[in-house]
Amino acid sequence: METSNVAHVFLLALLTAVATGLGALPFLFTKNLTRGWLGTSDALASGLMLAASFSLLYEGIAYGLWRALLGVILGLGFIVLTRTLIQQDEHPAVFASMGRFDARKALLVVGIMTLHSFTEGVAIGVSFGGGQAFGLFISLALAVHNIPEGLAISLTLVPRGVGWVRAALWSIFSSLPQPLMAVPAFLFVELFNPLLPIGLGFAGGAMIWMVFSELVPDALEKASANLVAIVVTLAVVAMVAFQFLIR
Ligand SMILES: [Zn+2]
């Protein structure tokens, strides 16, 4: 492999990570969110993440049904275990400025989004193994796909007192595994390719769990079931349409 190729893969994957930060930009304009808006934000994040998790599953299944399903079971087991451990942790240092309960939720959201980026980094690297043009296409698609994911992260962080700049930085952080994983996956395509459906299933399973365990119950505490359902429905449809359009 040429060094220039490796640098090329890294830079493009880094670009996809930076794009995630764009999702925080709407919060330049709104600072103080009321309780009703907080519920709406959670509902919006739920819908965006729910649709994103299904596209991860379909993508994984396209590579291999049983490995993707194995990934889902592993992801579900991992996240249930992790949640039990985080609950025992009194003050996760990184989110110390927030209340204990909200810090746990923020940590879960950023954690799961970061986790799913590992697989997307592998996807970028593997796709460059299939040629420059294909790799470029997958990178650009992922960069655009990362923007609503940054929005979903910001929608859970900003209403809980995190400034928009920090929300943007956490969003970018959540995508840093993309450049980090793209390079080894590009160099060792043969090794990483079989793991891709497991990783995609893992991320999809963990993300669906998070939506129903954390975000939807939170939304229902602050907004009516009717409003939450309307916002989730519209967000799912918007994300599905968006992912169809960038394909
Ligand atoms: Zn994603």
Side-chain angles (χ1 to χ4, degrees):
M1 286 312 158
E2 288 173 39
T3 336
S4 64
N5 276 349
V6 172
H8 187 71
V9 170
F10 180 78
L11 283 176
L12 274 166
L14 190 64
L15 180 93
T16 68
V18 172
T20 320
L22 297 177
L25 288 186
F27 289 101
L28 251 168
F29 310 104
T30 47
K31 296 247 157 55
N32 299 317
L33 295 168
T34 61
R35 203 174 157 78
W37 276 110
L38 205 66
T40 309
S41 295
D42 281 327
L44 194 54
S46 304
L48 295 177
M49 287 191 191
L50 191 60
S53 62
F54 274 90
S55 74
L56 286 169
L57 286 183
Y58 279 119
E59 207 184 316
I61 288 170
Y63 283 99
L65 175 65
W66 295 110
R67 276 175 294 158
L69 294 182
L70 173 70
V72 171
I73 301 299
L74 291 175
L76 194 57
F78 172 83
I79 197 60
V80 170
L81 210 71
T82 307
R83 213 264 286 258
T84 319
L85 294 175
I86 292 178
Q87 256 168 344
Q88 288 163 353
D89 187 356
E90 285 291 315
H91 291 283
V94 277
F95 294 112
S97 59
M98 289 179 251
R100 190 174 78 86
F101 184 70
D102 278 351
R104 183 176 63 81
K105 199 166 305 264
L107 194 68
L108 263 174
V109 170
V110 174
I112 289 183
M113 296 307 280
T114 307
L115 200 81
H116 104 284
S117 292
F118 277 91
T119 321
E120 293 179 346
V122 172
I124 294 174
V126 169
S127 66
F128 271 104
Q132 283 283 331
F134 185 55
L136 187 67
F137 171 74
I138 295 293
S139 302
L140 289 179
L142 267 175
V144 179
H145 144 117
N146 279 344
I147 299 172
E149 291 184 355
L151 176 65
I153 291 173
S154 305
L155 281 167
T156 53
L157 293 185
V158 174
R160 295 181 171 82
V162 177
W164 74 270
V165 176
R166 289 184 70 189
L169 291 175
W170 278 116
S171 298
I172 295 172
F173 172 87
S174 78
S175 287
L176 283 183
Q178 290 174 6
L180 295 179
M181 293 309 292
V183 171
F186 172 62
L187 291 174
F188 307 103
V189 176
E190 306 284 300
L191 191 72
F192 277 91
N193 214 4
L195 297 174
L196 209 49
I198 300 177
L200 288 164
F202 189 104
M207 221 188 265
I208 295 173
W209 176 90
M210 180 180 69
V211 167
F212 290 102
S213 164
E214 301 289 327
L215 296 177
V216 169
D218 226 32
L220 290 173
E221 263 175 34
K222 294 162 200 139
S224 73
N226 185 40
L227 178 64
V228 170
I230 290 170
V231 174
V232 170
T233 305
L234 292 177
V236 166
V237 172
M239 188 70 154
V240 169
F242 175 75
Q243 285 173 331
F244 178 78
L245 289 172
I246 64 167
R247 231 188 353 211

